[in-house]
Amino acid sequence: MKRVLSALAALALLFACSPENNTSAADEPGNGKDNTVHVTGISIDRTSATIKEGETISLVATVTPANAENKAVTWSSSSDAVATVDNTGKVTGVKAGSATITATTEDGGKKATCSLSVEANNAPSVTVEADHISAISVVLHGKANLGTSAASDLKIGFQYSESAGILPSNSTTVEAEDADANYNYTTAITGLEPETKYYFRSFVRQNGQDTYGETKEFTTKDVASLLETNEASDIEATSANLNAKLDLTDVKYTNKSYGFYFGTSETAQNTKINGGEIEDNAYSASRTGLSHKTQYWYKAFVTLDSQTFYGEVKTFTTEQFVFGAVDLGLPSGLKWANANLGASAPEDYGDYYAWGETEPKENYIWSTYKWGNGSYDTLTKYNTNGSYGTFDNKTVLDLEDDVAHVKLGGSWRMPTKAEWAELLENCTWTWTTQNGVNGRLVTASNGNSIFLPAAGYRDGTNFSDVGSRGYYWSSSLLTDYPYFAWYVDFFSGNVGRRYDGSRYDGFSLRPVSE
């Protein structure tokens, strides 16, 4: 007995001396052992199921243990002809028959199955699905189970409504135009409202009776998925490009038109502009003839059949017009301005000036002329004949009386008679219309050009020949008759140098620069 007690005491002492943590060193992190929690099994919430053709069920897979690090599962069907399954476990019956749906873990390849039986759907009308959903249209799919024969009064199609409880009285009925040999059919529905939930069901009408398929639903997309006004681009002093996105993917329609509405206030875009060709779901339109340093507003639009949609209103401000010198490659090296003096664009008429005066005015007659004492024969400056007033023999304007130099400074001035002649002889003058304005496009051999608008002229308080003829002063006096000065005029049929312009007349000015 003493020996037994001694043995038990030794054993108790052995346990008392053992460490409380029995984890071996090999189990410690960093010592080479895999600490990943792996999948040990998988199950499906149903081991068997029965559905009809066209019906769906969702299977749920559970991976064990619950804390497994990789719970990824792939789904497969033993016969896609009988039933299909997507990557979420949603199963769709295709035709009558049997199939096995399998869920397989990515970690370890563990499998679970569900035996599926698909029964024939003998309902006369089957609502299948909606697809190609856009902001205003959809394609509906249906099926009619008619057996081997169809009644002579057969009609198939859909009813759709914004009401969940579809009735013939609160819905729109659309007949299908055709069906395949198995009476599968589709119908495109147009004219829907954006961001709206619709309910639909298929119908079969034969032998005077209507039968309906299951009610399903879809929601149309928002207008932004169809049309957006984008920021303007290539903004210059007198022009800009308007841009928009127009995505007609999945949109069903018969006729379309699109473009922009444009204006000079946020609340009134009254000018309609057609859009250019649609490329990469976008279109644009060029807007010219704008005023410099001016704010404009615009919005995109599209009309599809009887529906018109608008994009957001956007704005831009044109650049300050730059009065630049154009190199026409002339022998003298002289450069010509890109616009008339006082203009804010190449097509603007600009201001009208009497010869030798530096400000425009309201009444162009001898009595208001700066260098005449009320008449042509009482000139006070620029006179080569004493019979016409104070004789000074000046034949070209002094820079202090040259309005181009006074207004622009630097080397800017009015062209002489000889310099107009150089422009006439070395360039092609084409009568044309630019941004709605008639005039002459003067094109040099180097490809550069300037546009001279047919601004007409002013005599007294009147405007004459506006839009049909241009009159442009030179800085050169007509020495034989000093109450005249040289100028160039043109119209659609002719261009010429003239000298019979009374100095008080209000003509256009095109500056030149060295």
Side-chain angles (χ1 to χ4, degrees), residues 101-140:
I101 306 301
T102 302
T104 305
T105 64
E106 186 176 286
D107 178 13
K110 306 298 182 182
K111 297 179 183 292
T113 61
C114 173
S115 297
L116 185 73
S117 177
V118 179
E119 297 178 347
N121 188 343
N122 294 318
S125 184
V126 179
T127 307
V128 179
E129 64 175 345
D131 61 12
H132 296 286
I133 302 168
S134 73
I136 62 168
S137 62
V138 67
V139 176
L140 304 181

Side-chain angles (χ1 to χ4, degrees), residues 340-343 345 347-352 437-438 453-456 466-467 472 508-509:
N340 288 350
L341 192 64
E347 299 81 19
D348 283 356
Y349 294 152
D351 293 324
Y352 299 83
V437 177
N438 293 333
V466 175
Y472 286 77
S508 301
L509 253 295

Side-chain angles (χ1 to χ4, degrees), residues 142-418:
K143 177 178 174 61
N145 293 316
L146 302 178
T148 58
S149 62
S152 60
D153 64 344
L154 173 67
K155 293 185 184 298
I156 55 176
F158 299 93
Q159 291 178 339
Y160 67 94
S161 172
E162 294 182 36
S163 300
I166 298 180
L167 298 172
S169 59
N170 69 4
S171 63
T172 301
T173 300
V174 180
E175 294 183 15
E177 295 183 357
D178 53 27
D180 64 16
N182 295 317
Y183 288 97
N184 296 294
Y185 59 90
T186 61
T187 298
I189 308 296
T190 61
L192 304 178
E193 292 297 322
E195 294 186 90
T196 302
K197 179 181 286 188
Y198 288 91
Y199 300 87
F200 70 102
R201 64 182 181 181
S202 59
F203 77 86
V204 171
R205 182 176 301 153
Q206 60 178 349
N207 297 320
Q209 293 186 333
D210 292 348
T211 56
Y212 302 98
E214 177 187 3
T215 296
K216 296 191 176 185
E217 66 184 52
F218 65 89
T219 301
T220 51
K221 297 179 180 179
D222 59 13
V223 172
S225 69
L226 174 71
L227 178 70
E228 287 184 355
T229 308
N230 291 336
E231 298 295 334
S233 61
D234 299 323
I235 302 170
E236 298 182 357
T238 61
S239 63
N241 284 336
L242 311 182
N243 302 300
K245 183 208 80 173
L246 179 58
D247 188 350
L248 297 178
T249 304
D250 288 332
V251 180
K252 307 301 178 183
Y253 59 90
T254 302
N255 300 300
K256 73 175 184 295
S257 63
Y258 56 90
F260 301 92
Y261 281 95
F262 182 84
T264 54
S265 74
E266 184 175 4
T267 58
Q269 293 92 50
N270 298 321
T271 302
K272 183 179 179 180
I273 306 168
N274 292 328
E277 184 177 352
I278 300 173
E279 296 182 359
D280 298 325
N281 295 331
Y283 67 87
S284 62
S286 178
R287 188 67 179 153
T288 59
L290 306 179
S291 299
H292 70 115
K293 210 172 181 180
T294 301
Q295 188 173 13
Y296 292 93
W297 284 262
Y298 65 101
K299 61 185 176 185
F301 83 90
V302 61
T303 299
L304 301 172
D305 298 329
S306 61
Q307 290 177 286
T308 299
F309 302 97
Y310 301 95
E312 179 185 2
V313 175
K314 290 188 176 291
T315 185
F316 67 90
T317 300
T318 51
E319 301 288 341
Q320 175 68 45
F321 177 69
V322 178
F323 201 83
V326 180
D327 183 3
L328 298 173
L330 299 173
S332 66
L334 192 69
K335 296 179 177 60
W336 287 72
N338 61 342
N340 288 350
L341 192 64
S344 61
E347 299 81 19
D348 283 356
Y349 294 152
D351 293 324
Y352 299 83
Y353 296 91
W355 191 84
E357 294 188 349
T358 58
E359 295 294 338
K361 55 188 179 181
E362 292 300 320
N363 196 8
Y364 292 79
I365 55 178
W366 276 117
S367 63
T368 65
Y369 181 60
K370 181 177 181 179
W371 305 117
N373 195 13
S375 67
Y376 76 95
D377 56 358
T378 57
L379 301 175
T380 59
K381 193 175 182 180
Y382 305 107
N383 184 10
T384 56
N385 187 329
S387 300
Y388 298 102
T390 304
F391 175 82
D392 58 12
N393 207 32
K394 287 180 177 289
T395 60
V396 177
L397 287 172
D398 293 333
L399 287 180
E400 64 188 32
D401 300 322
D402 185 319
V403 63
H405 182 75
V406 170
K407 296 290 187 182
L408 303 176
S411 63
W412 289 106
R413 58 177 175 79
M414 292 169 59
T416 65
K417 170 190 172 183

